[in-house]
Amino acid sequence: MSQLLTFYFGEETFLIREAVQKTIKSHSDYQIEYLEGQFEIAKLIELTQSTGLFASKTLIIMKNPFFLLKKCDTKEEKALSLLFKSHQNKDVKMLIYATQTLDQRKKFVSLLKKEASSQQFNAFKDWEQNKVLQWIQQRLKAHQKTINQDALFALEQLAAGSLEQCNAEINTLLVFLNDKETIDINDINALSGDSKATPYQLTEALKKRQYNKVYTITTTLLSNQHDPIKLMGLFISSFRLYYLITYMKAKRQNADQMAKTLRKNAYFIKLIAQELRYSLDELKTNLTILAEKDVEIKKGIIKGDLALECAINQMKLASSQVPQPT
C-alpha cells in the first residue's frame, strides 16, 4: 500500500469532499495540480516526474477521473497500472477521489483499493441513528461544546438525514453560541425559527397529529423547492415508525425493548411514544393513502407535489372518521 497514493470513494460525498480539503490543508507546502474527468495520461505522467515552479513538492488531485468510470483501452490500462504500481517519487503525491457511484468491479477501482491508501465513506443507514448522534456529538466536542439529549435529537431531525446540512446547522450554532458550552432545545428552536418551515418542524407536527400545520409546512417546503419525493419518503418512514411504536406500546413493550427491535436510540423512542396520539387504524389508513399516492407518482398519473398535498387532505378527512385513543 503506497503512502504516495490516496483514494477516497463511497456514498457520502460530503465526507469525501471534507477529507479532500483536510488533505489539501495538511499539504500546504505542496504545489497543487488539479485534473478532473477526462485528461491525457501523458499529462498525469509528466506531473509525477517533475515538481512545480513554486514548490519543491507536488500534490496531484484527480476528481472523478475517467479511468474510474469507464473502460480504458489496452494502452491506457497498461500505462496507468504501471504508474500506480511503481510510483516512488516522494516529492509527488497523488490524491484520487470520486463523488459519483463507482462500479466496484472496475479494474482501477479494485487496483486503487489494493495499491493506494484508500478510505471508503459510506452514508449512515436508517437503522444507524446512534452513529449519527455520535457523529454530531464528536463534531461539537471538537469545538468544546456539549448538547442535551432532546436538543441532540432535534438537531438530527432538523438536518433531515443530510450530514452536509447537519454540519451547516452546527456551524450556524457555533456562530451564535459564543461562549455558551452546552446546547439546549431552545438553541435548536431558535435555529429553526418559527417562521421557517423545516423537515424537523414537519416531523414534529406529524408526531403531534397536527394536520393543518403539516399541510402549511409541507406547502411552504414545496414552494421552497424541496423535493416532493423525499418529503413523501419522510411521511412514509415517519408513519411506519409511529405504527410500529404504537403497536409495540400496545403490547406493553418499554422504550428499551422497542429501541432494540427498531435499532433506534431508546430515549428518542421514548420521546416519540410519549407524544403520539394516533390509533393503529388511523396510522394504517395513512400508510395506505401514502402508498397509493406513491404508486400514482411512479406511474406518472400525478405530480409529486400535488400527490403530497392530496394525501395530507385525505389523511385529515379520514382522521375525523377514526376513533382516537384515550
Side-chain angles (χ1 to χ4, degrees), residues 41-99:
I41 295 177
K43 172 66 174 177
L44 172 60
I45 294 174
E46 180 185 343
L47 289 172
T48 63
Q49 294 174 344
S50 60
T51 54
L53 296 174
F54 307 105
S56 60
K57 295 179 285 187
T58 302
L59 174 63
I60 305 168
I61 298 177
M62 288 171 265
K63 177 183 178 181
N64 296 322
F66 67 95
F67 53 79
L68 292 179
L69 304 171
K70 66 179 185 179
K71 183 175 176 59
C72 301
D73 62 38
T74 304
K75 185 178 179 181
E76 289 175 327
E77 282 191 0
K78 185 176 180 180
L80 286 168
S81 295
L82 180 62
L83 173 64
F84 295 144
K85 290 180 179 180
S86 63
H87 177 65
Q88 295 181 351
N89 185 348
K90 294 182 179 180
D91 291 328
V92 178
K93 293 184 178 181
M94 289 180 278
L95 167 60
I96 301 169
Y97 73 101
T99 57

Side-chain angles (χ1 to χ4, degrees), residues 7 31 33 37 69 86 88 93 112 118 129-130 147 163 168 180 198 206 221-222 225 266 285 292-293 301 315:
F7 179 39
Q31 178 166 316
E33 297 286 350
L69 304 171
S86 63
Q88 295 181 351
K93 293 184 178 181
L112 288 172
S118 64
Q129 183 187 33
N130 282 333
I147 185 169
L163 292 187
K180 186 177 180 181
T198 65
L206 281 172
L221 288 171
L222 290 171
Q225 306 304 311
T285 298
E292 290 172 352
K293 292 303 176 188
I301 298 173
M315 289 188 291

Side-chain angles (χ1 to χ4, degrees), residues 75 123 126 128 139 167 169 173 194 215 237 243 250 262 306 322:
K75 185 178 179 181
D126 290 341
E128 294 182 316
R139 291 262 155 164
N167 185 66
E169 301 292 0
L173 273 172
D194 291 337
Y215 184 84
S237 62
Y243 182 88
L262 299 172
L306 183 58
V322 178

